[in-house]
Amino acid sequence: MRVLGIESSCDETGVAIYDTDKGLLAHRLHSQIDLHAAYGGVVPELASRDHIRRLPLLLRETLEVTGLVMGDIDAIAYTAGPGLAGALLVGSSVAEALGVALGVPVLPVHHLEGHLLSPLLSATPPVFPFVALLVSGGHTQLMRVAGVGDYTLLGETVDDAAGEAFDKTAKLLGLPYPGGPALAKLALEGAPGRFRLPRPMLHSKDFDFSFSGLKTAVLTAATAPDFTAADRADLAAEFQAAAVDVLVAKSMAALKHTGLKQLVVAGGVGANLMLRAELDAAAAKRKARVFYPELELCTDNGAMIAFAGALRFIAGERGPAEDGCFAVRPR
Ligand code: KG4
Ligand code: ZN
C-alpha cells in the first residue's frame, strides 16, 4: 500500500509517499522561514497562501522522484491538527479532493502522532512500548507509547511549550525567527552558570513542565542596567542549560516510573544538540537508549504524516465517519 502524506499545519509544506512494504519512498519539504522572517513569527494568512502555492509543486516533485503516478496512490493521510486553521484547511482540501478524484480513502492524522512515531522511520527504530518526549513549538509532553494509538499522557507543560520558550527567549535577546536554532547557535559562544536561571518544577515529583517563569527570568536579566550585548551569549547558554536540565530530569523520571528503557524524542526542539547530548548521557547511566528521528524529520514534514497514516490504515482505520467531513481540528 502506498500512502501519500500531506503536512500543512504551520510554516512547512510537506509531501511524502510511504510504501508499507518498501518504507519511505520520497519526501519533499518547503520551509516558509524566509516568508515570515520579516514579521518575527508566522503570519497565518501568508502561511495558508503559500501552502496553496507549494502543495501542487511538491506533489509533482514527489511523484517524479519516485517514478509513480497519481493512480499508484492507495490512500491519503493529512495533518488534521493541531495547527493554524487556514493552513490545515489547505492540506485537508487537497487531500479530500484527491481522495474523491482517485477514489481512495483519506485519513486525518494528529500532527503530534506524526512526530511521536517519526523515530520509527529511522534505520534503528525503537520497539513498543517506549516513553516519548514530545518537544515542539506548541507542545511539551511525556507519554507512554504502547502501540499505534495507544498513548498515555504522563505529564505536560502547564504554560509555555519548550520550543515556544526558546522562541520567546530568542526574541528577547534580539535574535531572528525562528528563535530556537538561533538561540542554540548563540549559546555555543557563551557559558552557562555566569547567569543563574531557575529550573522550574525540577523537583515537582510529577512529569509536568513550566517554562514561562524561565522566560520571565531571562527578561529580568536582559533588562538589568548593566546587561550588555556581550552578555547575550552567556544568558542564552544558561537558558538552554536550564531548559535542557528540566527536560532531561523529567524524561529520566518517566523512564524510572514506567520501568522502560527506551526514550523517543520528537518535535522541533529534538534537533537541539545539547538536549541530545545530555539525554544520551543521562540515559546511558541507567542503561537506557534514546531514539531520535533523522535530523531532517525532526521538524514538521510529510513523511511522518504518511507513515502515521499508513500505520493507521494497516490497523484498519478508514477516515472520518461522516462522508465529506473535513476533520480539521486547530486545537
Ligand atoms: O515540531 P516543530 O517543527 O513545529 C511544531 O511546533 O509543531 O517545532 C518547532 C520548534 C520551534 O519552537 C523551534 O524554535 C524549535 O522547534 N527548534 C529548536 C531547535 N530547532 C528547532 N529549539 C531548540 N534548539 C534547536 N536546535
Ligand atoms: Zn510539529
Side-chain angles (χ1 to χ4, degrees):
M1 180 182 229
R2 295 190 197 98
V3 181
L4 174 72
I6 296 177
E7 156 67 35
S8 70
S9 64
C10 190
D11 59 348
E12 255 120 17
T13 321
V15 173
I17 300 174
Y18 181 82
D19 185 310
T20 50
D21 293 325
K22 297 179 187 159
L24 185 64
L25 298 184
H27 85 104
R28 284 290 180 270
L29 193 65
H30 174 77
S31 168
Q32 301 179 355
I33 282 179
D34 294 344
L35 180 66
H36 302 291
Y39 305 93
V42 180
V43 183
E45 176 69 18
L46 294 182
S48 307
R49 287 167 186 255
D50 202 55
H51 286 308
I52 293 175
R53 257 193 307 270
R54 302 290 170 181
L55 263 181
L57 303 173
L58 293 176
L59 199 52
R60 199 175 309 145
E61 267 182 48
T62 309
L63 286 170
E64 262 170 29
V65 295
T66 53
L68 298 173
V69 294
M70 262 305 173
D72 296 323
I73 300 298
D74 302 302
I76 301 171
Y78 67 91
T79 301
L84 303 168
L88 291 166
L89 280 167
V90 175
S92 65
S93 307
V94 170
E96 296 287 354
L98 284 175
V100 170
L102 299 170
V104 300
V106 179
L107 196 70
V109 168
H110 195 291
H111 180 78
L112 294 182
E113 181 172 44
H115 277 304
L116 197 70
L117 299 176
S118 60
L120 293 171
L121 277 169
S122 59
T124 48
V127 291
F128 298 122
F130 52 75
V131 171
L133 172 68
L134 257 176
V135 269
S136 72
H139 292 80
T140 303
Q141 301 184 326
L142 273 165
M143 302 219 218
R144 185 182 189 282
V145 179
V148 179
D150 191 349
Y151 314 126
T152 309
L153 185 65
L154 300 171
E156 63 185 329
T157 183
V158 297
D159 42 52
D160 290 351
E164 190 180 0
F166 268 90
D167 292 340
K168 287 179 177 172
T169 300
K171 211 167 185 174
L172 283 175
L173 295 177
L175 297 171
Y177 159 89
L183 190 134
K185 198 165 158 223
L186 179 62
L188 286 175
E189 297 164 24
R194 192 161 79 77
F195 290 94
R196 286 302 298 169
L197 295 176
R199 269 62 175 163
M201 298 183 75
L202 189 62
H203 304 294
S204 64
K205 299 216 183 330
D206 54 23
F207 308 104
D208 289 339
F209 303 87
S210 167
F211 290 103
S212 68
L214 194 48
K215 174 195 66 196
T216 310
V218 169
L219 178 64
T220 307
T223 50
D226 56 344
F227 188 83
T228 68
D231 296 325
R232 286 160 66 240
D234 286 341
L235 188 52
E238 173 67 7
F239 167 82
Q240 180 174 249
V244 166
D245 277 354
V246 181
L247 291 169
V248 171
K250 298 276 172 157
S251 300
M252 294 307 123
L255 284 178
K256 188 172 176 207
H257 171 77
T258 55
L260 298 175
K261 293 284 178 199
Q262 301 176 100
L263 175 71
V264 156
V265 182
V269 185
N272 186 278
L273 295 179
M274 183 185 184
L275 177 64
R276 289 184 171 216
E278 300 283 319
L279 280 174
D280 288 344
K285 274 190 205 149
R286 45 186 328 117
K287 300 204 179 347
R289 229 186 114 186
V290 194
F291 297 80
Y292 306 94
E294 305 290 339
L295 213 47
E296 60 171 337
L297 300 185
C298 265
T299 49
D300 295 345
N301 63 83
M304 65 184 192
I305 302 305
F307 179 61
L311 294 185
R312 285 194 168 266
F313 278 115
I314 291 170
E317 258 180 64
R318 287 298 173 269
E322 297 162 58
D323 253 0
C325 149
F326 284 24
V328 162
R329 299 275 299 272
R331 287 182 162 275

